[in-house]
Amino acid sequence: MNPSSERNEERVVRVSISNVSVRDAGVYWCGAETRDTYLTFISLNTKIQLNIIMPPVVRHEGESAKIICPYDSIYKSKPKSLCKGKCSTRDRNTLSETVREEKESKTGRLTLNDNVTARVFTGTITGLTAEDAGKYWCAVTLETDLNYLYTHLIVIMNEGEEGFCI
């Protein structure tokens, strides 16, 4: 990550990050540093959550969909889960029990699998219906927060058989 910043006359610092990757997702803090003779004060006052959007998953009704969630190696022993819709620490809609290190968790039509060698956990939903479409969040539980990636699942409805009226 190579952040660059510029200071303008309104006393605002702008930071841009180029070549963003999955590793860059997470919480960032903006603040100011003040130095006195022997003391340094740092005031962090703005919290920013950087979410990375993964390409959408498009499948037909009745098929299976794999939602692939890459993560950095530092998270290999952390619990991971898949959420649909809202996925905050307070009102989380977790679809499955969390999964950890090389284990599999199955709840109904959803299976979570964590492959620590590849640094990917995968959520597989079988027998897709229109209700399965929506925004899915890959969540890695940290000590005090969750680290998110998200994607959209698009379910294409099968065409019904056409009938003829005579």
Side-chain angles (χ1 to χ4, degrees):
M1 175 166 45
N2 295 317
S4 65
S5 64
E6 63 181 56
R7 184 181 174 122
N8 63 23
E9 293 155 10
E10 290 129 19
R11 303 181 81 134
V12 174
V13 175
R14 299 181 199 282
V15 177
S16 62
I17 304 170
S18 58
N19 300 322
V20 175
S21 71
V22 169
R23 186 179 192 146
D24 299 320
V27 175
Y28 290 82
W29 287 90
C30 296
E33 181 177 306
T34 308
R35 292 180 188 241
D36 200 354
T37 311
Y38 297 107
L39 298 172
T40 300
F41 300 95
I42 299 176
S43 172
L44 299 174
N45 51 19
T46 304
K47 180 180 177 182
I48 298 168
Q49 174 74 42
L50 175 63
N51 293 319
I52 306 295
I53 305 169
M54 297 180 298
V57 176
V58 180
R59 295 292 181 270
H60 286 87
E61 183 181 26
E63 292 181 345
S64 295
K66 284 190 178 193
I67 298 173
I68 299 170
C69 306
Y71 60 87
D72 193 50
S73 60
I74 61 172
Y75 302 126
K76 72 178 185 179
S77 63
K78 302 292 182 189
K80 298 153 197 89
S81 57
L82 188 67
C83 304
K84 181 181 180 192
K86 229 174 180 182
C87 193
S88 68
T89 51
R90 270 183 260 127
D91 25 325
R92 200 161 90 186
N93 180 17
T94 305
L95 295 174
S96 173
E97 297 294 319
T98 55
V99 65
R100 279 182 190 246
E101 293 187 68
E102 299 295 337
K103 295 203 175 149
E104 184 175 281
S105 172
K106 185 168 173 68
T107 306
R109 297 180 300 120
L110 175 70
T111 303
L112 281 184
N113 192 309
D114 187 11
N115 181 337
V116 294
T117 306
R119 296 189 323 260
V120 168
F121 76 96
T122 305
T124 304
I125 306 170
T126 59
L128 290 173
T129 66
E131 291 78 33
D132 293 321
K135 184 187 285 189
Y136 286 81
W137 297 84
C138 302
V140 177
T141 306
L142 306 175
E143 283 73 25
T144 58
D145 215 343
L146 292 172
N147 198 4
Y148 299 117
L149 296 172
Y150 76 87
T151 189
H152 289 277
L153 172 60
I154 300 167
V155 179
I156 300 171
M157 300 301 292
N158 294 332
E159 291 184 33
E161 292 183 21
E162 295 182 5
F164 293 97
C165 295
I166 300 179

